[in-house]
Amino acid sequence: MPGFSNEERMDKVTNTFLFTSESVSQGHPDKVADRISDAVLDAVLRVAPGSFVACETLVTTNSVILAGEVRYVPTSGAVDYEGIARRTVAAIGYDRPELDFAAETFVFQDHIHLQSDDINMGVVEGGAGDQGMMFGYATDETPEYMPASISYAHAITRRLAEVRHSGELPWLRPDGKAQVTVRYENDRPTEITAVVLSAQHDPDVEDLQGRLERGVIRPVLPADLYDPSSVRLHINPTGRFVTGGPHGDTGLTGRKIIVDTYGGFGGHGGGAFSGKDPSKVDRSASYAARWVAKNLVAAGYARRLQVQLAYAIGVSEPVSIMVDAFGTGRRSEAELVAAIREVFDLTPNGIIGALKLRQPIFERTASGGHFGRTPEEDGGFSWERLDRVDALKGHFGD
């Protein structure tokens, strides 16, 4: 193999590569914005389940700004947008004025207005709320059918929130992010080679790096993949992370779309999720594509698989369905598409009904990723259910 080093030749033979994924904490500025937007969506759905919502949030130094479109007829009271924002910020942990962004003191602006008639006439009859293409992905490399790198990165940021809220590490502040690098050989994870963790903290914390490694990283990473003696650790690599959150960096709804999905594996259609009601196929069809992909992998028809769905605004049926099994499929991709069409109703109304997406469940999705959490976690995410495995097997006569 001319032109390649010995190491590169070995990589070509064994299909060895490193892959890195990122997760961010619930106090990261962009996730603060996502959670406020989804809290607004949930509040509107509680008073009017058939509502149409597209809520965007901007957070910065001691300020929260809402904008977007809402159309609803309340059946059980009005929606207090400012109260929702303050409750959400407090729940995350921004409750101290010295953080320069606090629930009781931030300046609030509301620029939400009525959804346009042009958009509304396309969705009231069950059409898609916008055009676009959406992707779902699943792999059998982890029990949750997610790529290992994003699963472990999310595990670290979840643990970061747990030890902060419980008081186990009371000097932690809400902002933070993690990266995990995994070595793959022949498409299977074999080793965690690097971990990056940046965690906001109070000033003058002793042994911060050691306490984060022992209290946050080591408890959540699998011992067969994580070797403390060989892994490269970068914990607060600048040496100090006191100023953070919306005071340290502006946050916007929808800026963490790869964190929200598969950590860089698979594709992403470009549309964000948070703040959008399920008539917006950016959200609902992405959930449906994950549901389809996960059930196909769980049924044994591929080791890893990606599904693409595409829609036109105001049109109910998808304009295309595509499957890529990356060479791991037990059936042809055309056969898998035919099975999807038979087993799943992928119209917006079909998705909303099957996955029960008119319920106020969305604030829980705003941190820790929208995928890979079992149906039992956080009250259950319906798109993680393996409820179509038997129907898929029945389609193929297995």
Side-chain angles (χ1 to χ4, degrees):
M1 298 175 66
F4 294 99
S5 68
N6 288 335
E7 184 178 352
E8 287 170 327
R9 289 191 187 99
M10 182 61 70
D11 285 350
K12 295 290 181 183
V13 173
T14 63
N15 188 26
T16 298
F17 61 92
L18 302 179
F19 198 91
T20 302
S21 295
E22 178 192 41
S23 179
V24 299
S25 73
Q26 59 184 217
H28 184 283
D30 294 328
K31 280 291 141 196
V32 174
D34 283 346
R35 185 163 170 178
I36 293 171
S37 292
D38 275 332
V40 168
L41 170 61
D42 281 355
V44 174
L45 291 176
R46 286 188 186 96
V47 301
S51 302
F52 300 106
V53 179
C55 176
E56 309 288 345
T57 303
L58 180 149
V59 295
T60 187
T61 301
N62 224 30
S63 298
V64 172
I65 300 168
L66 298 190
E69 306 83 46
V70 173
R71 184 180 290 257
Y72 71 100
V73 178
T75 58
S76 58
V79 175
D80 175 13
Y81 296 131
E82 181 174 353
I84 292 164
R86 295 193 187 280
R87 172 192 63 76
T88 304
V89 169
I92 292 169
Y94 287 107
D95 52 6
R96 295 150 56 187
E98 64 265 30
L99 299 179
D100 292 301
F101 181 80
E104 291 187 1
T105 60
F106 67 69
V107 177
F108 177 78
Q109 296 182 45
D110 172 11
H111 299 280
I112 292 177
H113 57 82
L114 185 69
Q115 184 188 64
S116 78
D117 291 336
D118 292 349
I119 294 175
N120 187 254
M121 68 181 180
V123 297
V124 292
E125 300 299 327
D130 204 350
Q131 71 177 50
M133 67 285 189
M134 297 80 204
F135 291 90
Y137 181 84
T139 172
D140 66 359
E141 70 191 63
T142 62
E144 57 271 22
Y145 296 90
M146 289 288 284
S149 53
I150 189 65
S151 289
Y152 302 146
H154 284 324
I156 291 172
T157 55
R158 283 196 298 270
R159 176 68 178 169
L160 203 61
E162 289 169 7
V163 296
R164 177 172 60 87
H165 286 298
S166 70
E168 183 177 340
L169 298 180
W171 40 266
L172 282 172
R173 292 180 173 184
D175 199 356
K177 55 175 62 177
Q179 279 184 187
V180 175
T181 301
V182 175
R183 181 186 301 280
Y184 284 80
E185 294 181 8
N186 297 318
D187 287 333
R188 312 309 286 178
T190 60
E191 179 188 9
I192 295 171
T193 64
V195 176
V196 182
L197 173 60
S198 294
Q200 188 188 13
H201 58 88
D202 290 343
D204 304 320
V205 178
E206 294 184 2
D207 189 28
L208 180 144
Q209 292 168 327
R211 293 167 78 179
L212 287 173
E213 196 276 336
R214 294 188 300 271
V216 175
I217 296 172
R218 197 177 299 190
V220 298
L221 297 184
D224 59 330
L225 298 180
Y226 179 76
D227 182 353
S229 67
S230 62
V231 68
R232 287 178 295 150
L233 290 179
H234 301 281
I235 299 175
N236 282 23
T238 65
R240 181 179 169 89
F241 187 7
V242 173
T243 300
H247 177 56
D249 191 9
T250 297
L252 293 169
T253 300
R255 283 207 300 201
K256 288 292 178 282
I257 58 177
I258 301 303
V259 172
D260 285 344
T261 53
Y262 308 102
F265 276 92
H268 197 291
F273 302 156
S274 289
K276 296 177 181 177
D277 78 83
S279 74
K280 299 290 189 183
V281 284
D282 284 339
R283 179 168 224 157
S284 56
S286 294
Y287 292 171
R290 162 66 176 175
W291 179 43
V292 171
K294 185 176 179 181
N295 275 267
L296 282 167
V297 171
Y301 294 113
R303 282 179 45 199
R304 64 187 187 102
L305 183 141
Q306 176 173 273
V307 175
Q308 187 205 54
L309 307 175
Y311 293 84
I313 188 169
V315 179
S316 59
E317 292 288 342
V319 299
S320 69
I321 302 173
M322 184 277 292
V323 169
D324 185 353
F326 306 102
T328 71
R330 281 182 48 221
R331 302 279 181 167
S332 74
E333 285 153 357
E335 289 176 307
L336 295 176
V337 169
I340 292 169
R341 291 187 182 277
E342 178 180 300
V343 173
F344 297 89
D345 179 354
L346 295 174
T347 64
N349 279 347
I351 294 168
I352 291 167
L355 300 183
K356 297 179 171 55
L357 298 182
R358 283 291 176 192
Q359 301 179 58
I361 60 171
F362 297 105
E363 184 179 351
R364 299 195 304 271
T365 68
S367 62
H370 292 242
F371 307 117
R373 292 143 75 174
T374 67
E376 292 74 30
E377 286 184 279
D378 297 323
F381 289 153
S382 55
W383 50 93
E384 295 295 323
R385 295 192 311 246
L386 297 176
D387 57 354
R388 299 300 170 94
V389 168
D390 290 343
L392 288 165
K393 290 181 176 179
H395 171 86
F396 287 113
D398 293 339

